[in-house]
Amino acid sequence: MRPAFAVGLVFAGCCSNVIFLELLARTHPGCGNIVTFAQFLFIAVEGFLFEADLGRKPPAIPIRYYAIMVTMFFTVSVVNNYALNLNIAMPLHMIFRSGSLIANMILGIIILKKRYSMFKYTSIALVSAGIFICTFMSAKQVTVQSGLSDKDGFQAFAWWLLGIGALTFALLMSARMGIFQETLYRRFGKHSKEALFYNHALPLPGFIFLASDIYEHAVLFSKSELYQVPVIGVTMPVMWFYLLMNVNQFTMWHWLGTLFVFIGTLMYTEVWKNLGATKSQLQKDDKKD
């Protein structure tokens, strides 16, 4: 599969996921737990059928290592989705999480003693600038919300700061998990599909502690207006449709910040080098034919 096509598929999938998550959070801001549970359950069932071969295939990486990774992954997922309850708008949520490159670089330098080229430092600076712009403009939007008294406005801003703190914690925890996963791959080989399955299947019992909240929102979803799904013609509550498919105000400053994050990420991954290498290989293959 060509890199450009693969990047396009990932981009389309991420965008559609965020759009439906926004539709869910706009109607029920506290639905983060049921969204997380649905994501984990779907991926766990798919992995059990096709990766674990109905439980007959033993894991290449010992379960005890997955237990450590799962603890971090479950925490990151729950904290990220719960941040939507703390006055964090979806665009800021999405862009802030794009700062994983920053966290990975910082922890890579501290823990793995890595060193990077000046080009990568420049790309990270661009990503940081983009996130700062979006965060700063979102803070201004929170403080000037119409219809709020000074006391309510300060309370909303305090919750927003707590949300930023939650996103920062999740960002660093996610980077630490990535480093732990990298060390496992070096030792046992890369088994990304297996890791995806166990990272989603093992935490499922943890949702017992969130069962009451999940049930409450399941009831609310069932009471939402009916929606007829195009093409297949099936009628279902619209909130369940949004969940199966799993756009706040965006100013010019937010778009500028997004552009910085996008360009900085492309610079860091050096994607054009891969595209150039693929093009050269195709030309060589054509000459051989």
Side-chain angles (χ1 to χ4, degrees):
M1 183 180 293
R2 297 184 178 181
F5 182 66
V7 170
L9 288 178
V10 172
F11 186 75
C14 290
C15 287
S16 61
N17 177 273
V18 168
I19 289 172
F20 285 107
L21 182 58
E22 167 71 8
L23 291 171
L24 288 164
R26 181 183 297 176
T27 306
H28 296 292
C31 69
N33 289 330
I34 191 173
V35 171
T36 306
F37 175 69
Q39 293 170 342
F40 273 61
L41 182 63
F42 177 83
I43 296 175
V45 171
E46 188 273 340
F48 182 72
L49 294 175
F50 301 106
E51 173 61 28
D53 192 21
L54 299 176
R56 293 190 291 261
K57 179 182 177 182
I61 300 176
I63 292 294
R64 64 180 182 275
Y65 293 111
Y66 278 126
I68 299 173
M69 193 188 306
V70 158
T71 301
M72 293 187 282
F73 184 66
F74 181 75
T75 303
V76 168
S77 299
V78 172
V79 171
N80 269 327
N81 283 334
Y82 189 77
L84 294 172
N85 301 358
L86 303 172
N87 284 343
I88 298 296
M90 180 54 64
L92 178 62
H93 187 276
M94 179 175 61
I95 294 170
F96 205 95
R97 291 177 65 180
S98 300
S100 58
L101 291 178
I102 304 171
N104 288 337
M105 175 175 279
I106 293 174
L107 293 187
I109 293 173
I110 296 174
I111 298 175
L112 300 179
K113 310 300 181 184
K114 286 186 175 181
R115 291 296 177 264
Y116 301 89
S117 66
M118 184 56 65
F119 187 79
K120 288 190 180 292
Y121 285 123
T122 303
S123 66
I124 289 299
L126 196 58
V127 172
S128 303
I131 294 176
F132 174 78
I133 291 173
C134 292
T135 305
F136 181 74
M137 296 309 298
S138 295
K140 291 183 64 175
Q141 289 180 350
V142 171
T143 56
V144 298
Q145 289 184 74
S146 59
L148 293 178
S149 63
D150 291 341
K151 181 179 179 181
D152 290 337
F154 175 78
Q155 188 176 31
F157 183 70
W159 281 113
W160 179 86
L161 285 177
L162 185 60
I164 293 296
L167 288 177
T168 303
F169 168 79
L171 200 63
L172 293 173
M173 178 67 79
S174 179
R176 182 64 185 89
M177 181 184 70
I179 292 175
F180 180 71
Q181 184 171 298
E182 184 179 338
T183 59
L184 288 182
Y185 286 169
R186 287 178 181 174
R187 181 175 176 183
F188 299 101
K190 189 173 183 179
H191 304 278
S192 54
K193 290 185 178 180
E194 177 185 288
L196 184 68
F197 165 62
Y198 283 104
N199 281 342
H200 287 82
L202 294 181
L204 286 177
F207 285 99
I208 293 176
F209 300 103
L210 307 173
S212 60
D213 181 74
I214 293 173
Y215 176 77
E216 178 184 344
H217 281 88
V219 173
L220 291 174
F221 282 16
S222 298
K223 292 180 179 178
S224 62
E225 62 180 295
L226 295 179
Y227 174 75
Q228 187 175 34
V229 181
V231 182
I232 61 176
V234 175
T235 301
M236 62 191 305
V238 67
M239 297 304 293
W240 284 114
F241 172 73
Y242 291 159
L243 185 63
L244 289 175
M245 294 294 103
N246 217 50
V247 215
N248 288 345
Q249 182 181 1
F250 223 44
T251 67
M252 287 301 298
W253 285 104
H254 285 97
W255 283 115
L256 178 63
T258 303
L259 182 64
F260 281 4
V261 172
F262 185 70
I263 294 176
T265 302
L266 288 180
M267 290 171 60
Y268 185 86
T269 57
E270 300 178 345
V271 68
W272 55 84
K273 289 187 177 181
N274 295 328
L275 292 175
T278 302
K279 185 177 180 180
S280 300
Q281 185 61 43
L282 290 174
Q283 290 174 346
K284 291 180 181 178
D285 293 340
D286 291 338
K287 290 179 180 179
K288 290 180 181 179
D289 295 335

